[in-house]
Amino acid sequence: MHLIKSSKVKLLLCSLISINLYASNEAFDEKIISDKRLETFNLTKEQIEQDSSKLRKDWINPITYQYKKNLGEEYETAQSIISINQPIFQSGGIYKAIKYADSSYDYASIELDQQKKELIKQALNLLYNIEKTNLNLQKAKYTLENAKIDVNRKKEQVLNGFLDASFLDDALLTLNTTKHNLVDLKYQKQELINNFNNISSQDYTKFELPIFKLFNEKEFIENNIELKKLEADIEKKGNYSYMTMAKYLPSINAFYTYSKYHEADNKDKSKSDLNKNNETFGLSLNIPLDTRTFNDIESKKIDYLKSKLNFENSVDDEKTFFKTKLEKLSMLDERLQITKEDLEVYNSILKIINEEKEAQIKTQSDVDTLQNSQKIKSLDLKIYEIEKQIELLEMYAKLQ
């Protein structure tokens, strides 16, 4: 999306940005989001990086420093102890812990991108609907003009005794309904603008909307951000399942302890042999025996298997979503074709009506009514095109 200086949202087909599948990220430009919301996303991204870095180091035990002071009646001692007990082999658990940190980062990053894309989609959807409302406002104005013409025509016919007063009453009701519709549309437009302002800190008129192009199901599934996230979830839960199992397998730790006695005021000098520095180090083999081992391992394994099934179910859901959108687009294409055919009929009739007006067979109000109806049909074409873009927007928002 590119920023432009304009007095309105430019949505004419000749001025729209054409976006294909591989350039879809250009349409989802984060500039449309307000600075505060972007800052929230940036902070969340930084938090994800810090959490991932911490996870990668979780297998490393801390070095412990301890200071002890013995206040006895016979002698006093002060001692400093530095110790570490570090796993160096956990039956593959250390490697999987690092992989788990990486997969957790991937999952959280994709989820954050998904949230950002969803917010951008909302903003774009609002811009499309603002323009759609503008077109409906134009339609309502032409409809209002026709309703006024019809009221004047019916009024003249009733006064001349050609029509019953009920026909005039119906025309007045139609005029009143059209006026209310125009008021409602003005409110709807302002409501859409207010909702857009909740997301963006810039005026909606500064943005130019994209035109999306249709792509095939294979591309949709391969680039689907929800499925990418679920694949990362499978990887994450697979690593965590192995970590859980390794927790109950034999492990080897390297340990080191250094203790230093400090000078103290001993009442019994014979105790001076206590003031020695000690250093111990070595390896330890640990074999955990826990009655909950099987339950814990199986629970995590089930969670891993569920993530795989969730992925398969989501693939089916996304295929159904894609199919439904294709059917909706097909329906809109049919409406476009019908409207184009109607427009051709209006064009041909308008030509005849203009000729009859020149021959004083038809009045100017007849020409105006038909011209307004023709303009309404032309606006319908643009509205259907926008509705198609809204459907495609829903599809592109699911792409990574």
Side-chain angles (χ1 to χ4, degrees), residues 94-263:
I94 295 175
Y95 172 74
K96 285 298 181 179
I98 296 172
K99 295 295 291 181
Y100 174 72
D102 293 339
S103 56
S104 295
Y105 173 80
D106 292 339
Y107 178 85
S109 296
I110 294 173
E111 187 175 45
L112 182 63
D113 288 341
Q114 190 178 30
Q115 292 171 0
K116 184 188 292 185
K117 203 155 196 178
E118 177 64 24
L119 190 61
I120 295 172
K121 183 202 78 173
Q122 291 178 23
L124 289 173
N125 185 279
L126 288 166
L127 288 180
Y128 275 120
N129 277 290
I130 289 171
E131 181 59 18
K132 181 180 174 181
T133 305
N134 284 336
L135 295 174
N136 279 321
L137 279 167
Q138 292 180 48
K139 279 181 60 178
K141 290 175 181 178
Y142 289 130
T143 303
L144 182 61
E145 288 180 17
N146 278 353
K148 289 178 178 178
I149 292 171
D150 191 46
V151 166
N152 291 331
R153 186 185 291 119
K154 292 290 195 307
K155 181 179 179 181
E156 183 178 344
Q157 290 172 339
V158 169
L159 292 175
N160 290 328
F162 293 110
L163 285 179
D164 186 81
S166 60
F167 289 94
L168 177 59
D169 185 54
D170 289 340
L172 287 169
L173 286 173
T174 301
L175 176 62
N176 187 58
T177 301
T178 304
K179 288 179 178 179
H180 280 291
N181 183 44
L182 191 59
V183 172
D184 289 341
L185 285 169
K186 289 178 181 178
Y187 168 75
Q188 289 173 22
K189 178 182 176 181
Q190 191 57 51
E191 185 179 29
L192 290 168
I193 293 172
N194 291 341
N195 289 337
F196 178 81
N197 291 338
N198 285 336
I199 299 174
S200 179
S201 55
Q202 301 184 64
D203 192 270
Y204 79 97
T205 58
K206 293 184 178 180
F207 295 96
E208 186 176 275
L209 287 174
I211 275 189
F212 297 104
K213 294 183 178 179
L214 188 59
F215 46 88
N216 60 46
E217 184 184 273
K218 181 181 177 182
E219 291 173 320
F220 179 70
I221 296 299
E222 287 178 351
N223 296 279
N224 191 286
I225 192 168
E226 176 65 20
L227 297 182
K228 295 286 186 184
K229 186 179 75 172
L230 292 176
E231 284 177 335
D233 188 49
I234 292 172
E235 182 72 17
K236 182 178 74 168
K237 288 180 177 175
N239 290 327
Y240 191 69
S241 176
Y242 192 96
M243 282 173 58
T244 303
M245 180 181 67
K247 184 171 65 175
Y248 299 102
L249 295 176
S251 63
I252 297 175
N253 284 25
F255 64 87
Y256 174 82
T257 302
Y258 175 78
S259 63
K260 176 181 177 61
Y261 284 90
H262 304 286
E263 292 296 330

Side-chain angles (χ1 to χ4, degrees), residues 380-391:
D380 281 337
L381 288 177
K382 295 179 181 180
I383 289 171
Y384 289 141
E385 288 291 352
I386 290 176
E387 289 180 354
K388 283 181 64 177
Q389 290 303 306
I390 291 173
E391 296 303 318

Side-chain angles (χ1 to χ4, degrees), residues 316-347:
D316 293 337
D317 291 343
E318 294 302 317
K319 286 181 178 179
T320 300
F321 172 85
F322 186 83
K323 181 181 178 182
T324 302
K325 290 300 178 185
L326 284 185
E327 291 169 349
K328 181 70 176 290
L329 289 170
S330 178
M331 180 271 290
L332 289 170
D333 281 334
E334 289 182 16
R335 286 189 175 184
L336 276 167
Q337 185 58 38
I338 292 170
T339 306
K340 288 177 182 178
E341 292 171 359
D342 291 344
L343 197 55
E344 289 178 3
V345 173
Y346 273 105
N347 291 337

